[in-house]
Amino acid sequence: MIDVVVVGAGPAGLACAIGAATAGARVTVIERDRLPHRRPCAGLINVTGAAELSTLGVSTADAHRLGGIRLVDGEHRIRRAFPDGGQVIDRSILDARLADAAVDAGVTIVDGIEVLRPIVERGLVRGVLTDRDTDAEIAADVVVAADGATSTFGRSLGTVRDPSWPSLLTIIGRWESAQSHRSTLDIRLDLRRMSGDLLPGHAWVVPAGDGTVSVGVSVLSTARDADSVNTTKVLEAVVDSARADWELGGKPLSPLRGVRLPVGLSVTPAGGPSWLVVGDAAAAASPFAGLGIDRALISGRLAAEAIAGVIDTGSFAVLQNHAPSLQAASEPYFRVGRLFTGFAGTRAGHALVRAAARNGFLAEALCQFGTGSFRPGSISALRNVAERMSWFAPRA
């Protein structure tokens, strides 16, 4: 039996832990915060994410169902079906269910403890050092970094984000809403700077069905002077413009959460001789819209499969399959996304994206590419063209 330590108890880390424990590993998950998480999150799950959760034994039968996406640009609005349907579940509930499934699989979860750094012996990571007063060192044969977008632990292992690749400057909060029962989410394409100038990116209003909605903003890092954008002010403007339609409460229900979200596998390497990286720590989120739960679950499953390979073969060299497996599960879709994100940050690109709120074909294309769910027809033909064009995009 091999010992595995997973740093981070989000969807990616817990998916990895469940898969590794099921394969026969002895797994410990260490989480800095107390569980369940109480952080703002849209909790949006597409059909791929729902399938991954079902495989892990996690039910979403009581999730709020979404059947539509409404694109909004000023007074222009157009509605399209949510490809294959979407679900919304509170992140604290989702994380709790994943944690329960992990415990049922034999995983040990320790929360409220911070990992300070990896333990390195003869050039190999052999565990982690925590801030516990006693038993601070935890030995492991394999260590998994699953500590989110900022991933201080991942950086201590040697991961680096390529700053030339796109990222999303994201901020999100939750508000009370008398319209949270709606089955359609809003994607707003008319973000503006405080000066009134248009701002490449998008905002969303996602109904949770429980009397609340999540409202968030994602600004493209490819936008001019993106780092100088006050995303809090942009979010406040979005909330004000959506307040009457969604009957929003006055103040957010919890502190806003802002982060620079790396996307499109822009963080490398995804592993080493005795360690792996998953979820946002590996920039596994979609470069199109920042959707992350499905990709987090997939990356966790792939890491667990690599660990299972070590158990089956007795060779830690199998861990080197993780990075190419991540790429194979994401390309060429992510490659198209990296190309799209770069173009959307230009004035011409942003104008084309905004036109989706006026044109049915563009609206359908944006919805299918944004959710990663494609249907047969003209959009599939466009996808084929985009995939050929994507050879000019940066590669993971």
Side-chain angles (χ1 to χ4, degrees):
M1 179 178 289
I2 68 171
D3 290 303
V4 176
V5 167
V6 178
V7 180
L14 290 172
C16 174
I18 293 169
T22 301
R26 186 164 41 222
V27 184
T28 300
V29 174
I30 304 174
E31 169 58 43
R32 178 186 60 189
D33 300 326
R34 290 293 182 184
L35 296 176
H37 294 119
R38 298 292 180 184
R39 62 185 61 159
C41 175
L44 181 60
I45 301 170
N46 61 12
V47 64
T48 302
E52 292 287 332
L53 288 170
S54 178
T55 300
L56 295 171
V58 175
S59 173
T60 58
D62 56 347
H64 181 57
R65 305 289 161 165
L66 297 179
I69 300 174
R70 185 172 65 167
L71 303 178
V72 180
D73 180 39
E75 298 302 318
H76 299 278
R77 303 179 180 210
I78 190 170
R79 186 188 184 280
R80 285 293 181 268
F82 194 118
D84 299 317
Q87 305 176 20
V88 180
I89 186 169
D90 186 282
R91 263 298 295 275
S92 63
I93 295 175
L94 175 61
D95 288 354
R97 289 178 182 175
L98 281 166
D100 287 344
V103 171
D104 289 344
V107 175
T108 299
I109 300 177
V110 184
D111 62 356
I113 291 175
E114 185 168 4
V115 172
L116 302 177
R117 60 174 175 82
I119 297 172
V120 179
E121 297 176 359
R122 297 181 180 179
L124 294 176
V125 176
R126 292 302 189 192
V128 298
L129 176 67
T130 71
D131 63 355
R132 289 197 296 197
D133 293 333
T134 59
D135 299 322
E137 293 189 359
I138 302 177
D141 301 296
V142 180
V143 174
V144 181
D147 54 331
T150 55
S151 192
T152 54
F153 182 71
R155 289 200 303 273
S156 71
L157 292 170
T159 64
V160 177
R161 183 183 74 84
D162 188 334
S164 68
W165 286 25
S167 60
L168 298 176
L169 308 178
T170 300
I171 187 168
I172 186 172
R174 185 177 291 271
W175 276 261
E176 291 182 341
S177 169
Q179 296 296 321
S180 75
H181 59 277
R182 291 183 184 177
S183 61
T184 298
L185 67 88
D186 276 1
I187 299 294
R188 304 186 68 94
L189 307 173
D190 53 355
L191 298 186
R192 292 187 180 273
R193 303 173 188 267
M194 294 303 96
S195 63
D197 294 338
L198 288 167
L199 179 64
H202 67 279
W204 64 90
V205 183
V206 178
D210 60 356
T212 70
V213 298
S214 294
V215 187
V217 165
S218 285
V219 176
L220 297 178
S221 65
T222 50
R224 175 178 53 84
D225 300 326
D227 287 333
S228 66
V229 174
N230 187 330
T231 53
T232 300
K233 292 295 185 183
V234 176
L235 178 60
E236 289 173 354
V238 169
V239 170
D240 287 343
S241 65
R243 190 177 301 281
D245 183 24
W246 285 91
E247 299 183 55
L248 300 179
K251 294 183 178 180
L253 297 175
S254 59
L256 303 177
R257 179 183 177 224
V259 67
R260 178 186 286 272
L261 181 65
V263 296
L265 301 181
S266 59
V267 173
T268 56
S274 60
W275 54 274
L276 303 171
V277 188
V278 297
D280 286 339
S286 165
F288 279 102
L291 285 177
I293 293 178
D294 62 318
R295 294 292 161 175
L297 295 168
I298 290 170
S299 69
R301 170 172 56 79
L302 293 175
E305 290 174 0
I307 294 169
V310 173
I311 295 173
D312 290 341
T313 65
S315 172
F316 284 84
V318 179
L319 296 180
Q320 303 309 306
N321 294 335
H322 178 58
S325 294
L326 269 180
Q327 293 178 25
S330 305
E331 305 292 9
Y333 174 61
F334 273 21
R335 202 164 59 236
V336 175
R338 292 191 287 273
L339 188 65
F340 167 83
T341 304
F343 175 63
T346 67
R347 180 172 296 183
H350 188 213
L352 182 63
V353 171
R354 292 179 62 212
R358 301 166 175 81
N359 180 282
F361 177 78
L362 291 177
E364 186 67 28
L366 194 62
C367 290
Q368 291 192 29
F369 275 97
T371 61
S373 298
F374 297 93
R375 297 172 175 173
S378 57
I379 305 301
S380 292
L382 176 63
R383 178 191 183 190
N384 292 335
V385 172
E387 288 178 357
R388 287 176 173 82
M389 292 175 61
S390 72
W391 288 102
F392 298 101
R395 282 166 172 70

